[in-house]
Amino acid sequence: AQSVSQHNHHVILSEAASLELGCNYSYGGTVNLFWYVQYPGQHLQLLLKYFSGDPLVKGIKGFEAEFIKSKFSFNLRKPSVQWSDTAEYFCAPWGGKLIFGQGTTLQVKP
Amino acid sequence: DTGVSQNPRHKITKRGQNVTFRCDPISEHNRLYWYRQTLGQGPEFLTYFQNEAQLEKSRLLSDRFSAERPKGSFSTLEIQRTEQGDSAMYLCASSLEAGGADTEAFFGQGTRLTVV
């Protein structure tokens, strides 16, 4: 069965701090990996995706993620967060269907 | 607007009533998903369609829930005999399945259901 786990439920950072959000998934076959973001009052939107090739993928707004197949992980990173990054972040593996982790609420203090 | 459209945006209903939500996906997308999201949680998978075929339905989904996509375009999600626990945001997403893999899923704004 397909499953996903996000390690951090609530993260509070100051502006300019570095961010890393953990995501581990389980699925026996080929998997595509996504990170979605939900800004306050807005709908879910794609942050970045991995299908194949270079395991380090870059997304919008300076976010990047690294796929480590041996660890079944797809961690999200940003070197320097901004107040506008305050949002909920969801890791979502696709292995036949798209499922979501429980999400991480990121609060960036100005 | 050529994105995913959901109607209504908000629905308040009395316990025991039936409700129906509609989702209009992006026109060329062959996959359509329904999710339910409650506060502080990630979207919970309910069901998905490829064209008009319902390929999977969550085992957690009560038989009070039914979804259709009759012509492979718009979809409806019906909840019969609503309960207070059904109160949630219901999300629809669509994507283009190509070569056995999903491309990006695009989400609608959701329908917020409140059962009183």
Side-chain angles (χ1 to χ4, degrees):
Chain A
Q2 193 178 336
S3 68
V4 57
S5 175
Q6 291 185 236
H7 307 162
N8 319 93
H9 295 291
H10 198 160
V11 174
I12 302 173
L13 296 172
S14 298
E15 275 195 316
S18 64
L19 170 73
E20 180 160 3
L21 302 182
C23 171
N24 285 91
Y25 66 93
S26 66
Y27 181 66
T30 300
V31 62
N32 297 333
L33 296 158
F34 303 83
W35 274 94
Y36 279 82
V37 60
Q38 190 168 28
Y39 297 104
Q42 297 188 25
H43 62 281
L44 282 158
Q45 55 188 284
L46 183 70
L47 199 57
L48 49 77
K49 60 188 177 185
Y50 172 80
F51 286 176
S52 63
D54 189 343
L56 185 62
V57 293
K58 296 190 184 298
I60 60 171
K61 302 186 180 184
F63 285 91
E64 62 181 31
E66 184 176 13
F67 169 55
I68 302 179
K69 188 175 181 180
S70 61
K71 295 184 178 180
F72 297 93
S73 70
F74 191 54
N75 293 351
L76 181 70
R77 298 195 292 249
K78 185 171 184 178
S80 176
V81 296
Q82 301 173 312
W83 176 79
S84 58
D85 293 326
T86 295
E88 280 200 274
Y89 293 81
F90 298 96
C91 180
W94 183 92
K97 64 179 183 286
L98 190 65
I99 65 167
F100 287 81
Q102 67 269 43
T104 297
T105 301
L106 172 64
Q107 183 182 352
V108 180
K109 294 183 175 181
Chain B
D1 188 347
T2 57
V4 178
S5 176
Q6 291 187 245
N7 288 288
R9 293 288 304 278
H10 303 273
K11 178 71 176 179
I12 301 174
T13 190
K14 292 184 179 179
R15 190 176 54 185
Q17 297 294 305
N18 299 343
V19 293
T20 299
F21 309 142
R22 177 178 170 125
C23 172
D24 287 90
I26 293 172
S27 58
E28 64 267 25
H29 284 181
N30 53 7
R31 282 214 173 165
L32 186 147
Y33 291 85
W34 284 100
Y35 295 87
R36 176 172 59 193
Q37 187 177 23
T38 53
L39 195 63
Q41 299 296 316
E44 175 193 6
F45 170 79
L46 296 180
T47 188
Y48 82 100
F49 294 83
Q50 181 147 330
N51 300 312
E52 66 275 9
Q54 187 173 19
L55 295 189
E56 187 170 341
K57 184 176 176 180
S58 170
R59 286 171 289 178
L60 301 176
L61 203 59
S62 159
D63 57 8
R64 296 184 295 106
F65 287 70
S66 62
E68 293 183 340
R69 194 183 183 197
K71 297 181 180 179
S73 56
F74 73 92
S75 175
T76 57
L77 177 68
E78 181 183 18
I79 309 173
Q80 296 182 326
R81 305 181 302 282
T82 53
E83 301 172 358
Q84 286 188 322
D86 297 331
S87 296
M89 178 74 85
Y90 290 84
L91 300 172
C92 176
S94 71
S95 67
L96 180 65
E97 187 273 341
D102 262 349
T103 56
E104 174 185 353
F106 292 81
F107 282 81
Q109 295 276 21
T111 294
R112 182 170 296 283
L113 173 66
T114 302
V115 181
V116 297

